[in-house]
Amino acid sequence: MEENLLKTCLYDKHVALGALMSPFGGFIMPIQYTNITDEHNAVRHRAGMFDVTHMGEIFVSGPDAEKFVNHIFSNNVAGMEDGKILYGMMLNPNGGTVDDLLVYKEFVPDHYLLVVNASNIAKDHEWICAQAEGYDVMVVNGSDSWGQIALQGPDAERYAVETLGLAPAAALGFYTYYETEYKGTRMIVSRTGYTGEDGFEIYAAHEAVNEMWDALLAAGVVPCGLGCRDTLRFEAGLPLYGHELDDD
């Protein structure tokens, strides 16, 4: 069964660390490395990191991008400032949830990044494209090109700045981001997360994500699996598609 599942760019790292691997959203993902309680507490009290490369990145651009994203998204993106992020839903005609997602207002005019759930990438892309009739927009599913690490916990800022050299991260407000480059490739650093703690989500090319994972691991950041991601988000009251949210 495992050979039919997708692997993230960090798969070999997880196996080398002895993680318990399990199917999730079409991927083979780490559920835990040591135990869920220890990993949960590491995020609550210090810092932990998650492989969230399985999440999807869909880019919407064009003259009608703001109007179109506002049409398909439950939150209001009209007049949204560059570098801001909003959470919300895409809804079907019956009011059920197509998916919950983050919308990033990019620093290029008429460009948005939609970060969607792993299990819904293909479905969301197809649905977004179907809604685009009559709008002057381009929709691109860039999910395969991006890796992503979520660095979460009270000490996340220190590790982002001191270990990864992401000094501008310290100036970010909640639900904002900035862009930079890593060895000539685009990198996005946002002050977002799914744990109820302060933290950052870092999007970059696969090579960069592997190098940052190794640096954080060497610095003492605890690798965390989807098990404690679930307990953390549930404790914080954050919904998850397929559990608290679905098509109905």
Side-chain angles (χ1 to χ4, degrees):
M1 180 177 64
E2 184 173 316
E3 60 268 18
N4 297 321
L5 296 167
L6 298 171
K7 297 176 181 178
T8 76
C9 59
L10 292 170
Y11 172 82
D12 290 341
K13 308 284 188 189
H14 306 316
V15 173
L17 288 168
L20 172 65
M21 306 296 288
S22 183
F24 180 86
F27 288 78
I28 180 78
M29 296 295 294
I31 301 301
Q32 64 186 59
Y33 297 85
T34 54
N35 65 74
I36 291 173
T37 301
D38 287 349
E39 292 167 24
H40 179 111
N41 286 330
V43 173
R44 280 283 179 259
H45 302 295
R46 300 180 303 281
M49 60 180 177
F50 301 82
D51 177 8
V52 283
T53 300
H54 61 310
M55 301 293 285
E57 293 84 20
I58 298 174
F59 296 85
V60 177
S61 61
D64 291 340
E66 180 182 271
K67 183 165 54 173
F68 175 63
V69 174
N70 228 22
H71 172 64
I72 62 172
F73 187 51
S74 64
N75 214 328
N76 181 21
V77 305
M80 191 176 173
E81 295 179 17
D82 294 351
K84 295 289 188 181
I85 306 165
L86 291 174
Y87 172 77
M89 320 286 168
M90 295 188 296
L91 303 174
N92 62 38
N94 297 320
T97 306
V98 176
D99 204 2
D100 64 316
L101 68 155
L102 295 177
V103 169
Y104 286 57
K105 175 63 172 66
E106 296 194 56
F107 292 93
V108 179
D110 303 318
H111 281 64
Y112 294 83
L113 164 60
L114 281 55
V115 180
V116 302
N117 283 300
S119 59
N120 291 336
I121 295 172
K123 181 194 80 170
D124 286 356
H125 181 238
E126 181 179 349
W127 186 85
I128 292 166
C129 289
Q131 311 310 308
E133 184 176 354
Y135 291 89
D136 188 0
V137 294
M138 181 170 64
V139 179
V140 176
N141 180 6
S143 304
D144 291 343
S145 301
W146 291 88
Q148 187 187 351
I149 293 175
L151 174 61
Q152 301 282 292
D155 293 337
E157 181 182 298
R158 177 168 62 85
Y159 286 107
V161 173
E162 296 178 6
T163 303
L164 300 182
L166 304 175
L172 289 176
F174 193 46
Y175 270 61
T176 67
Y177 82 100
Y178 79 97
E179 290 202 22
T180 185
E181 286 191 352
Y182 186 93
K183 294 185 177 179
T185 62
R186 184 183 180 193
M187 183 161 70
I188 293 170
V189 181
S190 65
R191 199 158 202 156
T192 53
Y194 199 54
T195 61
E197 293 295 335
D198 187 22
F200 303 88
E201 291 179 300
I202 305 164
Y203 305 76
H206 293 172
E207 179 186 357
V209 164
N210 272 271
E211 291 183 12
M212 287 187 286
W213 179 275
D214 287 345
L216 291 168
L217 189 67
V221 177
V222 175
C224 298
L226 293 179
C228 81
R229 186 168 180 255
D230 210 36
T231 59
L232 288 159
R233 68 98 188 164
F234 196 74
E235 193 172 72
L238 298 169
L240 177 64
Y241 185 89
H243 293 257
E244 295 75 37
L245 302 169
D246 59 32
D247 291 335
D248 299 321

